[in-house]
Structure formats: C-alpha cells, structure tokens
Amino acid sequence: MTTPRRWLATAALLLPAAAHAQSTARPFDLSIANIMRGPELFGREPQNVNWSADGLWIYFAWNPPGTKWDEPTRPYRVRAVAGAVPERLSDAQMDSVAPYIADGPLSRDGLQRAVSARGDLYLIDTKKGTARRLTETLAAEGDPRYSTDEKQLLFTRDGNAFTFELATGLTRQLTDIRSGPAPRDSARATGQRAALERQQRELLEVIRDRQRADSVQRAERLASAARGLQPTYLPTGERLAQLSVSPSLRTAVVLTASTPAAAARNTQVPNYVTSSGFTEEINGRTKVGDATARFRAYRLDLTTGKLTALHVIAGDSTRVAAQVRFMGWSDDGSAGLLSAGTPDFKWRYLTSVGDAGSVQVVEALHDTAWVGGPCGGCMGWLPDGRVWYASEASGYAQLYAAQRDGSARVALTTGQWEVERAELSADRKWFYLHTSEESPFVRHLYRMPVAGGAREQLTRDHGGHQAVISPDGKRMADVFSQANVPPELFVAAITDAARTQLTTSTSDEFRAGKWIRPAIVKIRASDGIEVPSRIYRPQDVGATPNGAAVIFVHGAGYMHNVHDFWSSYSREYLFNHYLASKGYVVLDMDYRASAGYGRDWRTAIYRWMGGRDLADEVDGSRYLQKELGIHPERIGMYGGSYGGFMTLMALFTAPKEFGAGAALRSVTDWSHYNHGYTGGILNLPQDDTLAYRRSSPIYFANGLEDPLLMAHGMVDTNVNFQDIVRLTQRFIELGKTGWDLAVYPVEDHGFVRPSSWTDEYSRIFSLFERTIGPNGTKAKQ
C-alpha cells in the first residue's frame, strides 16, 4: 500500500512572489513586438485540471507568469483552500501521484476506483486515499473496468483483453487476436504429384511410419489447442482499432480499421532549415477524396473465439463506416453502445449491441448537409439501462435518453442553445453540463438529475467556465475567464457563489494594460438574420477614429469567437486593441458556419464555402459604411487559415466592399485540403465539382483589384505551403500586381516564434497604413 502523503513534505518549487505582486504603475507598451510575445505576456491557461482522490489538492499543467515562450507547460498542484500557492512538481513526484489523479470507474459502493497510470493498474481506496498497485510491467495496461460481480478487473494489454482476480491476483488472458489470414494445412497434392506420393507410401515403410506419426501429433496438437485459448484471426487487410470485453465475460466488441490503400498518397512538406543542412521531407496527410480507411465492428465469442460481423450502419451488411467508436457497456454488461458514421458524413448511427450479438438502432441521425455539432462524444449508459446521448435532432445540440432499441425517447434538455459538454457524476445521480443556456456569449456549469428536469446553475460570474467537480461532489475547480481577463484557476463550493482564485498567470506588465471588453453588436444580414459581432472602437481605448476600419475573420470555420470570455485568438485580441489605438474600427464577426448557434448556422456553407459566410462579412462592411460612414475602399480585412481563405474570397469576389486584405496560412483550393474537414462540407471533389470550383479562391484570382498581403509558413503540415505557391503562380500567369508574399521558413500552421509573429503582424499593419490608413493611398482617392 502506498500513499501520496509520503512525499507531501517534499520541497517543491514555489511561485515567485512577483506573481502575486501588484501591477506596476508603468504604462503598458502597446507595440506589435510586445504583444506578439504571446503567453510570456498574457500567461498560460491552467490545463488538464484534476482533483486528488482525497479532494485536498488540485493538479494541473501550467507555467507561472513571464515564463519564456518556448518553455513547455509543467506539472503543478495547489491546495484547494484560500491563500494556497501553486507548487511545481518534479517528474518523480508526478510518477508517485499519477494513480491518485487518474480517472477510472468506481465500484458500486463507491469505495474503490480502478485506474491506469503510467501504463500500470491500481485500485484507489477513495476513503483512505491509498493505492494498491496491481501490475508493474513494461507493457502498457489500460481501460480498467470491473466485471459484473466486481470480483475481477478487466483490462487491455498489447491489443488483447485480460482479467485480474482481485482476491488472488491471478491474471488470465481472455483474447488472442492476431492479424489474418488464419494458417491452413498444406493443400493436398493433385495430378502427377499425388501419384508420386501414393507410390512412395506403397513402396516405403518409413514413409508410412512418418505420416502415421504426423497424424497422431497433429491430432494431439489440435486437441490441446481446443482446451486452451482460441486464437482469433482478423480478416485480411484489417487491423485492430479497439477492443472491449463485456463485464459479463461472455463476449467482446472488436473494432477494426482497413489498412491504408496502396493507391493513397500523402503530401510531402519540405523542411529547409534543418540541423543536417539538407532539405528533409515531412510525411504529411492525404488530400480530400483520396482513399481512406474504413472501419468495421465485430462480436467476439470468448468461449469459441468466433468473430461475427456487426452491421452497425442501420443493419445494412453492404455498408461500411467511415468511423466507429465503442462508447461503453451497460452496468450489467448485457449491451454495449457503438457510434458509427457513414463515409458520406450524412448519417450517424447509435446502436446497442446485445451480449448475444443483436444490434438495435438507438438513433439514426441524418443531416442533408453533414452530421456535426458540439458534444459529439457525449453519450453513454444510465443506471437504469437506458442510453443517453447528445444530438442535433432539434436543430441544437441537446441531451436525450432512450431505451436500447430506440423506443421511449425523451428530451432531457430543450431550447435554442447548446450543450457543449456533458458527463455523469461519480455517483451517477446527476449530469454536469456546460452550456450556452444563458446566452451564446457565456458558458456556465449546470447540474441536472439524470432523469432530466430543472437545471441548477452552479457557476455565477459572467464569462466562460470550465469546471471539474471534486470527488465528493461538493466543490469545483473552475478555469474561468472574461473577455478582457485570461483564464485563471478558481475553487468554489457548488452551493456558494463565492470563489477563490488559486493562480495568477498574467504578467504584471499585462495587468497594467487597459484591456476592453469589446461590445457585442448584432448586424442584420442581407437575409434578415442578425449576426453577432464584436466591435473595437477607437474611442474605447482613448483614440480618435481615423476614418478606416478592419474586419478580423476568425479561423477554423466552425469556431466561436464572439463571446464574453477569453479568446483563443489571444494575439489577435491584443492586435485589435493596437489597431483601435491607431484609429481603426475593428469588427470581429461570428459569420455563418461559426460554432455556438445551432445546426442551421453550422451548415449554412454546405457546398459553398465563401457563399453565405462571405455574404455576412460583406454585410459587416456595409454596416460599417452605413452606421459609421466609412468608405468601403477604406475597409480592410485580415485572418488566418479559414480567415485567410475568406480574405482571399472577399478581395477576389467582392472587391467593391473592401480596400485591402492580409491572408494568412490560407486555403486557396479546397481540393488540396484534408478529407475529414472538407469531405463533409463540400462532398468529394471527384463527385461535386461545382462545390469545389465555387468555393476555391484560386478560380477567382482574376478578380483581385486591391492590395493583398499573403503570409504562410513553409513547413505548414495543415494548409500546405503548396497552396499559396499555386496561387502565386496563378497571379504571375494572370499578370496581377499589388500582391506580396511573406514566407516563414521554420513555421508550421500555428506560428510559435515571437519574431515570426512580430514580422507578420508588422507587415499587416504596414499594409493597412499605406492603403486604407489616414495617409494611405485609399484615403487620397
């Protein structure tokens, strides 16, 4: 038996006192070079937050204020009390504590938790806070679960399932899964060769004796094998993806993935700046529409080793899945839950698989565009044997429950808002839900009985909350932020609005700045829909408007950026302040396809990226023209990734509404992007040429009229550098002028070096100053 208290007295690195000092009186240096220092300035968000089993400590990954930009986050812990100071942990300390902060299933009486930590298995006594180590091997053991009678612990090792008898410590292997095909006896000879064998047997006694001995040995070998564990051979060309044994120990679900097709081809990204001095190739991804893996589900009978196909796509044996995930067993082990998606992205099937192999559809969710939305993995079993899951069936991601055959479905939550995260409490009496119920602009934690009904709001402060409940269910560790305050770790009782701050991540220098909470305005689009937008006004930062404006376009397409909590576009938030301080109005829109507004908003770009989403940005330009009197030629645009794509489409297809643009790490041709993201939105390039042609900027390059800056990392493994190179060649062949390309030899899709960020955003600002700015060419027209 071990306990973490043995090392609690070990000296740990404490935060420097400066982390809690008062902000300096020196004014903040609002310069591009300073704000592009990134996390050195505004801090690192506490991540991977976990409670200790005894609820005394909160563990998380973090760095204290002012840590150098390239320093990886380190493990910390802090007592869950007011006035506690975070302590840095060594690797040895983390090894010791790993079992106590790992998650895993509880026994029915709640007294023990089974966990896997650092590749070994442990039983945690939840009352005493002690651990019993069950394995210590070089192989990694994972996915511990109790058998139905809780006398054995099921786990996986090296692609097979095992049990550990808790009373005796006996370990027994349950499966022997091997790659196919299964071995076969040598084929019988025919024709001339068979005649020669018959002659040998007829003439020679030694041959007859050998064959007789071989027959006896083979019979004995087969009889011995029949008494032992039967090997299971996967179909040829398939590899094991997931394995889960039922708590009843009678059956298992086996998921396989097909081996990559020989015809599939990966992109190659040249890396020029290397320690070897030679250009080195980075093996990248495939492109949309190329051959991809397919997934299949099987039932494995543990008594016979027989593998039987499970048809989890609406019972149709001819259809395979683009992805299958096993989501868990019911408490009594009588059924498992599978989630499968079709290759065309338009169906998601939730199916229950009975212990005997029966398959029943819980929900068949169809979308004429593509199935998606938040909380995609939110599903599981309720204590009463029903299935719970999140679905966009109503148009918004909400929770439902149904019998395992799909009958008696009930909505556990309803409304024109979204469930973003859902999980059952440790005692399985409550759901803990992170939702946008109050408004799309905040995120709160709620508690709801598993049967549904009234929700109790557990967080109070206006902003964004990401809370983790303590083991006893009485407190929460809450990573909370506001629009102008980066995330910090707090602790609070779930019945009390008061909270205690446990970390200070921002530098004194950052806290000296005057950071605004951008006003949220709703811009009426041309189709009558109101589009939420954040606006940074020069007056808000003590500056005088210069008559120009900039529209910032967030990336990822399906992302939420107009809200009252800290943006993942942290540097852009600061850069928008910088622009406002120079007199520019800045508009940041949650255009159609952004996250947080339901299914219709999400899928508004189906078969046409750069259609309704770009129309919203054009409507943003017209809002600036109408409400603030800004001339369209003095409205600029910038953004990265999807935002870069949108900037290109704006300048190529709506040049009369904008005067200049900066497109960063931009997709220029969607037929060159990846399969998982693009295939759902635009279908496949070989099947839907219209969707790809009207969505890809390279086809509209001739429409460029205004100054354009393009910036791209040369080792971008997401949007490959090839994208911008092809567009550049197109410009050359079209004889286009007024464009610039800035390349960053060592940067991937997400820049990391402050010098690269500074160079890039200095170029963006220079572009706006010389074009749409008060002394720029557009101001003189």
Side-chain angles (χ1 to χ4, degrees):
M1 305 285 278
T2 60
T3 172
R5 294 186 178 89
R6 291 184 177 179
W7 56 263
L8 294 186
T10 302
L13 297 177
L14 300 182
L15 284 180
H20 297 283
Q22 293 296 317
S23 298
T24 176
R26 185 173 58 186
F28 180 78
D29 173 22
L30 187 60
S31 66
I32 294 176
N34 196 32
I35 61 180
M36 292 302 152
R37 290 162 49 208
E40 286 186 12
L41 180 66
F42 51 71
R44 271 81 168 178
E45 175 179 350
Q47 297 176 321
N48 302 327
V49 176
N50 289 289
W51 287 86
S52 62
D54 56 15
L56 298 178
W57 296 88
I58 301 171
Y59 292 82
F60 54 102
W62 187 61
N63 272 333
T67 305
K68 197 171 184 296
W69 65 271
D70 58 350
E71 181 74 16
T73 56
R74 303 296 184 182
Y76 279 80
R77 67 172 186 167
V78 63
R79 278 198 174 273
V81 295
V85 177
E87 304 173 0
R88 165 76 181 277
L89 302 179
S90 67
D91 291 341
Q93 288 173 322
M94 282 305 298
D95 286 341
S96 298
V97 78
Y100 302 94
I101 61 175
D103 193 20
L106 281 170
S107 57
R108 280 190 289 271
D109 59 14
L111 297 180
Q112 289 186 320
R113 183 183 298 277
V115 303
S116 172
R118 300 293 199 265
D120 289 316
L121 302 179
Y122 298 80
L123 276 183
I124 306 298
D125 187 310
T126 59
K127 297 298 183 184
K128 298 178 181 178
T130 57
R132 172 189 171 191
R133 188 169 194 156
L134 305 182
T135 65
E136 188 173 2
T137 66
L138 293 177
E141 289 102 11
D143 190 27
R145 291 175 293 108
Y146 290 98
S147 61
T148 303
D149 59 11
E150 294 194 340
K151 293 180 179 180
Q152 300 180 73
L153 200 64
L154 309 176
F155 65 95
T156 58
R157 175 198 290 163
D158 293 334
N160 278 296
F162 296 78
T163 65
F164 180 95
E165 290 188 4
L166 295 175
T168 66
L170 174 67
T171 299
R172 181 166 60 95
Q173 187 167 342
L174 297 178
T175 65
D176 181 11
I177 296 177
R178 306 180 187 183
S179 299
R184 297 181 179 179
D185 292 334
S186 299
R188 289 179 176 272
T190 59
Q192 177 259 357
R193 295 181 183 181
L196 288 178
E197 289 184 5
R198 286 194 300 271
Q199 184 191 44
Q200 291 291 85
R201 289 196 299 272
E202 179 183 352
L203 294 175
L204 302 173
E205 182 180 13
V206 65
I207 297 298
R208 293 192 295 274
D209 289 345
R210 287 175 183 172
Q211 290 185 340
R212 187 180 305 110
D214 287 345
S215 295
V216 171
Q217 290 175 4
R218 180 175 181 275
E220 291 176 347
R221 186 172 63 252
L222 292 175
S224 176
R227 292 192 297 270
L229 183 63
Q230 300 299 300
T232 300
Y233 289 91
L234 300 179
T236 302
E238 297 182 24
R239 65 186 189 275
L240 182 67
Q242 191 177 358
L243 167 68
S244 186
V245 171
S246 164
S248 69
L249 303 182
R250 292 190 297 266
T251 188
V253 168
V254 176
L255 305 183
T256 69
S258 60
T259 54
R265 182 176 179 181
N266 283 20
T267 59
Q268 298 295 315
V269 179
N271 185 10
Y272 293 99
V273 182
T274 64
S275 57
S276 69
F278 289 87
T279 300
E280 299 171 0
E281 298 286 340
I282 300 171
N283 190 34
R285 53 168 173 77
T286 58
K287 297 189 178 185
V288 58
D290 203 350
T292 57
R294 292 292 185 261
F295 293 79
R296 290 178 171 83
Y298 298 90
R299 174 184 178 266
L300 173 61
D301 188 318
L302 294 179
T303 59
T304 65
K306 182 180 179 182
L307 208 60
T308 306
L310 298 172
H311 305 308
V312 294
I313 303 295
D316 185 347
S317 62
T318 65
R319 299 174 72 188
V320 295
Q323 184 61 267
V324 182
R325 291 182 296 169
F326 182 75
M327 308 306 297
W329 294 96
S330 60
D331 290 0
D332 61 3
S334 62
L337 182 64
L338 286 163
S339 172
T342 55
D344 62 5
F345 300 93
K346 300 185 187 304
W347 287 90
R348 183 195 72 176
Y349 290 94
L350 297 186
T351 54
S352 64
V353 179
D355 200 40
S358 61
V359 177
Q360 297 177 302
V361 177
V362 180
E363 185 201 47
L365 179 63
H366 177 252
D367 198 305
T368 54
W370 75 98
V371 174
C375 223
C378 299
M379 58 188 69
W381 293 92
L382 292 172
D384 61 7
R386 292 184 300 158
V387 175
W388 71 272
Y389 58 92
S391 172
E392 276 190 330
S394 70
Y396 293 84
Q398 298 291 334
L399 285 195
Y400 297 85
Q403 297 295 336
R404 63 186 61 179
D405 63 357
S407 65
R409 187 179 81 159
V410 295
L412 300 177
T413 63
T414 59
Q416 295 185 359
W417 46 271
E418 299 197 298
V419 176
E420 299 178 12
R421 201 173 98 196
E423 53 208 335
L424 284 175
S425 62
D427 60 11
R428 298 166 63 79
K429 295 180 179 179
W430 304 93
F431 276 109
Y432 290 115
L433 310 174
H434 286 79
T435 83
S436 59
E437 183 171 353
E438 180 181 314
S439 88
F441 314 127
V442 297
R443 181 195 300 123
H444 281 296
L445 173 69
Y446 296 81
R447 183 171 65 175
M448 179 181 73
V450 292
R455 290 173 295 282
E456 177 187 2
Q457 184 176 328
L458 301 180
T459 53
R460 298 287 186 270
D461 296 283
H462 188 83
H465 298 265
Q466 300 178 68
V468 180
I469 303 300
S470 63
D472 62 6
K474 296 179 179 179
R475 291 174 297 166
M476 55 184 162
D478 183 14
V479 178
F480 169 69
S481 70
Q482 295 175 294
N484 58 344
V485 180
E488 298 289 2
L489 177 63
F490 295 81
V491 66
I494 64 171
T495 57
D496 187 357
R499 55 185 173 86
T500 298
Q501 184 170 340
L502 299 177
T503 61
T504 298
S505 307
T506 53
S507 65
D508 291 341
E509 184 181 359
F510 176 84
R511 294 194 300 277
K514 296 180 180 179
W515 309 110
I516 66 170
R517 295 171 59 179
I520 295 177
V521 297
K522 294 185 178 180
I523 295 174
R524 183 169 293 277
S526 53
D527 63 353
I529 299 296
E530 292 187 329
V531 181
S533 308
R534 296 212 285 189
I535 190 166
Y536 302 74
R537 301 180 180 92
Q539 303 94 310
D540 298 335
V541 296
T544 301
N546 66 14
V550 172
I551 296 179
F552 165 64
V553 190
H554 70 70
Y558 189 66
M559 182 198 168
H560 190 26
N561 200 50
V562 176
H563 46 60
D564 281 332
F565 46 93
W566 189 248
S567 172
S568 58
Y569 280 92
S570 307
R571 288 181 177 88
E572 286 75 8
Y573 168 78
L574 304 184
F575 184 64
N576 291 342
H577 276 78
Y578 179 80
L579 290 173
S581 74
K582 301 299 181 181
Y584 295 89
V585 175
V586 182
L587 196 64
D588 171 10
M589 306 181 72
D590 264 355
Y591 52 86
R592 237 66 66 93
S594 297
Y597 305 98
R599 180 267 172 195
D600 291 348
W601 200 280
R602 176 180 65 80
T603 61
I605 57 170
Y606 177 58
R607 299 191 66 233
W608 193 2
M609 292 194 243
R612 184 62 256 178
D613 49 356
L614 178 60
D616 288 346
E617 301 290 351
V618 169
D619 291 331
S621 172
R622 292 172 180 169
Y623 167 86
L624 294 169
Q625 297 171 44
K626 179 180 178 181
E627 299 298 326
L628 301 180
I630 299 174
H631 193 279
E633 285 298 310
R634 296 198 63 193
I635 298 174
M637 179 180 285
Y638 84 99
S641 195
Y642 199 93
F645 149 75
M646 289 272 280
T647 300
L648 294 177
M649 289 294 277
L651 267 61
F652 295 174
T653 66
K656 302 306 179 186
E657 306 295 342
F658 305 95
L664 324 174
R665 53 192 183 277
S666 317
V667 175
T668 68
D669 186 344
W670 287 106
S671 63
H672 287 255
Y673 198 51
N674 70 34
H675 185 81
Y677 180 87
T678 321
I681 303 174
L682 298 181
N683 302 317
L684 303 185
Q686 59 266 40
D687 300 332
D688 198 341
T689 55
L690 172 61
Y692 281 82
R693 190 175 185 91
R694 68 183 180 182
S695 300
S696 298
I698 198 166
Y699 289 104
F700 303 97
N702 197 43
L704 180 65
E705 298 179 1
D706 296 306
L708 168 65
L709 167 67
M710 300 176 294
H712 215 112
M714 295 180 71
V715 287
D716 192 332
T717 57
N718 182 0
V719 181
N720 297 159
F721 186 61
Q722 180 194 30
D723 255 49
I724 211 67
V725 171
R726 293 177 66 244
L727 180 60
T728 299
Q729 181 61 26
R730 181 82 173 129
F731 283 155
I732 293 170
E733 293 178 3
L734 290 171
K736 287 294 179 180
T737 60
W739 55 270
D740 291 294
L741 173 62
V743 302
Y744 297 87
V746 300
E747 296 293 358
D748 200 337
H749 194 61
F751 284 18
V752 295
R753 301 188 67 84
S755 57
S756 299
W757 282 103
T758 298
D759 182 273
E760 183 179 47
Y761 278 73
S762 295
R763 292 176 186 273
I764 297 171
F765 181 65
S766 176
L767 167 72
F768 293 148
E769 283 287 273
R770 69 174 184 267
T771 57
I772 66 173
N775 299 311
T777 55
K778 300 287 186 174
K780 300 173 183 177
Q781 293 179 357

